[in-house]
């Protein structure tokens, strides 16, 4: 009986050691799995960020670069979401800028015409002043 009790005690110790070993292996496996999950999520996050940056760069190149200052280009509004709102805001901004550019061009043309008229008037005044000086020297005009 003593022998069977000793055997049972030995079996219990081995079972406890085996259970401890299994728990240690499970903890190590869990840590390794957790590290791999963090790595995968980090890589996916980086890929998503790169794709986002590429989309932003492509959209800037596609929207602005081909037209090089042409204000008549409009973006097609295809939807009611945020991109549709952005396209509508861009189109509205381009309309306002185009109208302002036309007003500036018209005001510039008017200013150039008035400057030309003023230049011609000054040239006429200068000619009249010369004639008056000549007349005064000849004694025709007393001032």
């Amino acid at each position: 009986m003593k022998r069977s009790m000793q055997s049972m005690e030995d079996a219990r110790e081995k079972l406890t050691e085996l259970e401890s070993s299994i728990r240690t292996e499970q903890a190590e496996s869990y840590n390794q799995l957790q590290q791999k999950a963090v790595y995968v999520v980090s890589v996916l996050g980086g890929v998503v960020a790169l794709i986002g940056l590429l989309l932003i760069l492509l959209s800037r190149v596609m929207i602005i670069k081909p037209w090089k200052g042409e204000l008549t280009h409009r973006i097609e509004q295809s939807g009611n979401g945020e991109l549709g709102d952005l396209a509508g805001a861009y189109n509205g901004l381009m309309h306002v800028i185009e109208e302002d550019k036309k007003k500036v061009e018209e005001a510039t043309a008017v200013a150039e015409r008035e400057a030309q008229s003023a230049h011609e008037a000054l040239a006429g005044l200068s000619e009249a002043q010369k004639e008056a000086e000549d007349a005064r020297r000849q004694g025709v005009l007393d001032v």
Side-chain angles (χ1 to χ4, degrees), residues 38-86:
V38 167
Y39 176 76
V40 168
V41 168
S42 298
V43 168
L44 286 176
V47 168
V48 168
L50 285 175
I51 289 172
L53 286 173
L54 285 174
L55 288 174
I56 289 170
L57 290 173
L58 285 175
S59 68
R60 286 187 177 183
V61 167
M62 292 173 66
I63 290 172
I64 296 169
K65 191 170 184 174
W67 300 288
K68 294 184 182 178
E70 181 183 329
L71 301 174
T72 59
H73 177 73
R74 299 295 183 263
I75 299 174
E76 182 181 333
Q77 285 182 264
S78 58
N80 296 329
E82 291 177 359
L83 290 178
D85 292 345
L86 182 61

Side-chain angles (χ1 to χ4, degrees), residues 23-33:
R23 284 187 181 162
T24 303
E25 288 178 17
Q26 283 178 337
E28 288 174 4
S29 295
Y30 178 76
N31 286 338
Q32 288 175 353
L33 182 63

Side-chain angles (χ1 to χ4, degrees), residues 75-128:
I75 299 174
E76 182 181 333
Q77 285 182 264
S78 58
N80 296 329
E82 291 177 359
L83 290 178
D85 292 345
L86 182 61
Y90 173 84
N91 291 341
L93 178 63
M94 289 299 104
H95 177 72
V96 168
I97 292 173
E98 186 178 13
E99 293 299 315
D100 287 348
K101 182 180 175 189
K102 286 178 185 176
K103 289 176 185 175
V104 167
E105 288 171 350
E106 290 171 4
T108 301
V110 168
E112 286 174 352
R113 285 192 301 271
E114 290 178 359
Q116 182 62 32
S117 295
H119 179 70
E120 291 169 1
L122 282 174
L125 285 174
S126 181
E127 185 64 33

